[in-house]
Amino acid sequence: MRITMPTAVIEGTQLTGMPFRADAVIGTMSVPTLVQLVPSPRREEDMKTLKAASGAVRRHAELRALVQRALKSTQKGKNVGSYAECIADGVNGELGAGWSTPPITFWHAGPLAALSDERLPGTALRTLTIAPGTSVVAIDGETQATAWHELYDDPERFGLTYAELAQVRVPFELYVDLSVADARQIFYDRNVQGVAVAKNLAMSMDQRDFATRLAHRVAEAVKVDIDGRLVPFTKFVNATKRQVGKTEPEVVTLSAMRALVITAVYGKGGLSRSAETVHEDELPAAATAEQVEQYVVPVLARLIADHAEHFLSRSALTAPAVLAGLGIAVHHTTPWADPSNAMGAKELDRLLAGIRWEREARYWDGVAAKAGASGRLNFSGGVKDSGGRVADALLYPGTEAGRRIRGQ
């Protein structure tokens, strides 16, 4: 008697995806599937752990090294913990709808074990089967993939449970059966071809950042008179660019407004924080978030309203460095300012009364800008470079810079 062999059954991890080209699909997978399918990059860089790992994991590590950069001792690796905390806050519902993670881009190094027909005609949805031991590498979004590993290794540390993580769907792209050279090219295209967002602009988009929220509230609190009609100042604030074009209706950037807010809160110490996230628990001693908002928003809104004509004419006042210097001056009027340098609102108004805000070299050259050979001013020095000089010129009328910006 001979025992017949069973009908071949294709085993492996099954994913549902929708092809968008002949060798790539998009879809979602669960967190348990992700951590089972893609080994932790952090562990693959631990030589002791890797030495004791299975042959499949060691082969995966070798393949990963061909198309990915290192985590260990790099900023990429340092970002994993904060990324995991951010994801955990989102999963826990602490961030509302204002959070997102981009799809992770995976490379399936060989052919699929199986690919079904359309699961429902006309939908393009198919079932993909990935054979056990097949190498799947994250060629873009690896920091996020590592963060999911961190969460799944110890969910309690992040205030989560395995059951909660099992309910999460992670979006992905999967490129199938590409060569190493093609996978490297995708890595290049995703990481080099795109233009990185300037950090200060990125900060101006972060609605969880305390300074960004205050900047929005300041702009919302101001109404300017345009031909007898009150128009919200928000219409003149550009929230998407580093610089405002001459033909655009906006006159100031949100990142510049944010610099005004930060220096009003921290004084000169805010100059170094212009490209950093501001958390409510990092405010100056003796200042609460509520106190800061209640003081800063109306004071800055009044200053903008009082100088609306200078904003609308795109004067020097709209330059980030000038706004940062103005914020430092405002800081001296706050309840939490150093008493030795404190002053009242009327004194600040007196100091600002004689400022020549016109964009002319005779006033601002060497203070907030540099004049070229043609005499044209360039305000590109930035907040950190020129904000302190502007503040000193505003606060000390008797100095050379103080006399210059007053036309003396």
Side-chain angles (χ1 to χ4, degrees), residues 265-266 273 279-289 291-292 331 334-339:
V265 174
Y266 292 97
R273 302 182 66 105
H279 300 285
E280 293 184 16
D281 59 359
E282 298 173 344
L283 295 174
T288 65
Q291 180 187 24
V292 169
H331 174 77
T334 64
W336 57 90
D338 183 346

Side-chain angles (χ1 to χ4, degrees), residues 150 156 172 186 268 274 376:
E150 297 278 308
E156 291 82 6
F172 70 87
I186 292 174
K268 279 193 175 181
S274 60
R376 182 181 177 183

Side-chain angles (χ1 to χ4, degrees), residues 316 322 325-326 351-358 360-369 379 389-408:
V322 177
L326 178 60
L351 289 172
L352 299 179
I355 305 299
R356 302 302 301 263
W357 300 110
E358 300 94 325
E360 296 183 16
R362 53 179 169 165
Y363 305 132
W364 296 100
D365 182 26
V367 181
F379 283 85
R389 289 198 300 272
V390 172
D392 289 342
L394 294 174
L395 293 168
Y396 306 110
T399 62
E400 181 181 350
R403 291 192 299 269
R404 174 182 286 271
I405 66 172
R406 291 169 174 84
Q408 299 172 358

Side-chain angles (χ1 to χ4, degrees), residues 210-224 232-234 237 254 256-258 260-262 264-265 292-293 295-305 311 323:
F210 184 63
T212 297
R213 296 203 307 272
L214 285 191
H216 278 293
R217 285 170 189 159
V218 169
E220 291 163 359
V222 181
K223 300 289 190 296
V224 294
F233 189 68
T234 52
V237 179
L254 183 62
M257 292 285 292
R258 187 176 177 274
L260 170 65
V261 167
I262 291 178
V265 174
V292 169
E293 181 174 352
Y295 185 84
V296 167
V297 171
V299 166
L300 295 184
R302 180 183 67 82
L303 279 174
I304 293 172
F311 278 94
L323 284 176

